[in-house]
Amino acid sequence: MSYVAIKGGGRAIAGAAAVTEYLRTEEGLGNPDAEPLEIDAILHQLRHLVDRVVSEGGVYHPQFAALAVKQSLGDTLEAAFALRAWRSTRPRLSATPPLDTSRMRLIRRISSAFKEIPGGQMLGPTPDYALRLLRLELMDESPEAFRAVARDWLENCREAQLPDSYPKVLDALRAEGLLPPVAKTRRQTAFDITREPLVFPVPRSAALATMARAETGSLLAIAYSNMRGYGDVHPTVAELRVGYLPVLLPHPVTGELAEAGEVLMTECEVVAMYAAAEPGGKPQFTVGYGACFGHNEVKAISMAILDRALQKGMQDGPANPSEDPEFVLLHVDGVDSMGFASHYKMPHYVTFQSDLDRLRTTQQKSGEPA
Amino acid sequence: MNAMPHTTGGNAYNFGFLDEYAKKEIRRAVLKAIAIPGYQVPYASREMPMGRGFGTGGLQLTLALIGPGEVVKVIDQGSDDSVNAVNLRRFIEMTCPGVSTTTRTAEASLIQSRHRIPERPLTPTQILVLQVPYPDPLVVVEPSEDKRKIMHGEADYSRLLVKLYEDIVQFDEITISHRYPTRINGHYVIDPSPIPRWDVPRLDHAAALTLFGAGREKKIYAVPPHTRAEPLAFSDVPFRVEDFRDEAGRRRACARCGCTDSFLDEFSSDAGEKVYQCSDTDWCDEKLLRKESLRGEAA
């Protein structure tokens, strides 16, 4: 008998790890100029990949995110996973108060609701209007040309007088009474999904936190279902902003807030069709909110749409999957869902044996040959 | 392994990987789970460095309960040597310096298992940790957790019983093969993890504490020692374990050790014939050893 059930697991694991490392490094065999990917190169040249991993990993550590990208050979799910597992080993020592995003140092800010917004539209870095043509000149980019591009841009950059912060577009709508005022009674301490389990119904801050570190593709797919028919949110982007948000932490001795650093983040506020807050009440626009680490616009927009859909579902009862908090929040986490999908690769001999027993018995009873 | 070079060199990782706050939270959830047998206690499951669904719930329990002097055994599909069991065991060795591991059921104080309860009856000094992919048996009849919570609270398992009844009407048999819904202490019905039906009766009035950890679904529950565990059934359609009799009605034996009272894995030999072998490898090894020593004495 040659097949003895799954023996030699330890050696098999070591072999699998070794051959993966071989694939990572094999370029060096035939190419004496091959150089290992530097973390800095990933951080700067694959910034959207790093941003995605930082966001889905749920911890703002771009350098470790870049390392995770490197060791996972560019698999975003695996990379976010490694970052999250590292986060599990860190105790939570402090929490910031809610941070005021009007203090963001912006690199990009647009509104599709108004032509003119206080502070103005700012396109910033975006591929939105780029023609998706392959730039064949990048096939073999020389280091000189590479450096020249950045240098030229800086030299030709006009000195601009930019304000330190920009007012929020929604504040203007609120001042006009088109939006409900921010509720004074809302819970000021955010629900920490890394320290408390989700028990439904959950507060909105738990839903927002879950979506903030959700897998981008999952969030987009469910938000898209709402946009194109299985839902009723017709959003207008009141404001989409990308920038660096100063992070304030209470000083360990004095307790006074001190700036501990800044995080790059994307924030999106959408305005949806109006509804009366209560029967007979004054009709007002409704709002959806999305925010996540890194420059991830599609994620922030999807999150804002789903936030609106979920609020509607919680108020009126869910009419479609994207309005059902359990459906959305329990299925958007990349680490959870990829882990479970992967686990099907593990042996299921015992349960399958039990399945066989049931099928054979059932077949016998129905008179078919076993 | 290359994934964790820091643990051997310095103190980059805490004993048991998780930080102390996380372990404390899990131990609190365990106490609650023991106090309310079968009740699913929610907890803030942490991300572990292996896949959700690979036993992260069981592992968090193991790491929270482990202390110096502990002897740990890890089983997957009844085997200590399967890839996943080896991986989990190695991770425990790496992050819990000073803890010893074993493959012998009798020697272990803490056993983490996927899909099997060891054949050898456990003792009061042992704890069995089972990994759980789906903690809630009601999920097959009710997708909403919010509603399931109410059903559990009211011990309302009528829809589950209807499902079993419909099975009988359609197939003349209950078709649930593993994860057989089991009522604990007369109230909560649990998913006893994907153990075969063969193992379910061994939860009933067991001497050892059995803990269930669902990492992805963030739940912990328990069957305390000497507690009733009854698989759902009807008086005229009793609960049945897997049948290992051949066409002639004889109990099949393990091709390796000859055991005729253990759960068997079935596979095809290279010659194409069906072969049966104990799924619990430690049990099988022990039987084989005894058989050989008997043969030695005889000779």
Side-chain angles (χ1 to χ4, degrees), chain A residues 62-82:
Chain A
Q63 239 170 348
F64 275 12
L67 171 66
V69 164
K70 173 172 168 156
Q71 79 182 40
S72 69
L73 315 187
D75 183 325
T76 52
L77 284 165
E78 282 289 347
F81 197 163

Side-chain angles (χ1 to χ4, degrees), chain B residues 198-259:
Chain B
W198 181 266
D199 286 338
V200 173
R202 271 182 298 147
L203 285 171
D204 187 42
H205 288 92
L209 166 66
T210 310
L211 295 172
F212 299 81
R216 193 176 41 81
E217 297 282 344
K218 306 174 177 63
K219 298 279 166 29
I220 287 171
Y221 49 107
V223 178
H226 310 291
T227 301
R228 266 185 297 153
E230 306 151 296
L232 291 190
F234 300 102
S235 53
D236 54 340
V237 183
F239 168 79
R240 269 194 279 263
V241 299
E242 288 79 2
D243 183 6
F244 289 107
R245 283 171 305 177
D246 61 15
E247 296 75 16
R250 275 178 316 229
R251 177 57 154 79
R252 292 182 204 275
C254 168
R256 190 162 165 265
C257 73
C259 180

Side-chain angles (χ1 to χ4, degrees), chain A residues 196-233:
Chain A
E196 286 180 73
L198 285 185
V199 177
F200 292 91
V202 293
R204 184 168 167 227
S205 70
L208 290 174
T210 303
M211 291 193 285
R213 58 175 206 172
E215 203 269 331
T216 308
S218 313
L219 215 54
L220 173 63
I222 303 183
Y224 183 47
S225 78
N226 188 297
M227 294 179 239
R228 71 165 290 285
Y230 290 84
D232 201 20
V233 177

Side-chain angles (χ1 to χ4, degrees), chain A residues 2 84 88 326 339 354-355, chain B residues 47 52 145 173 177 242 270:
Chain A
S2 63
R84 283 245 202 125
S88 283
E326 280 198 40
S354 196
D355 285 341
Chain B
E47 273 84 9
R52 288 284 207 203
E145 184 174 337
E173 262 299 319
S177 54
E242 288 79 2
D270 287 346

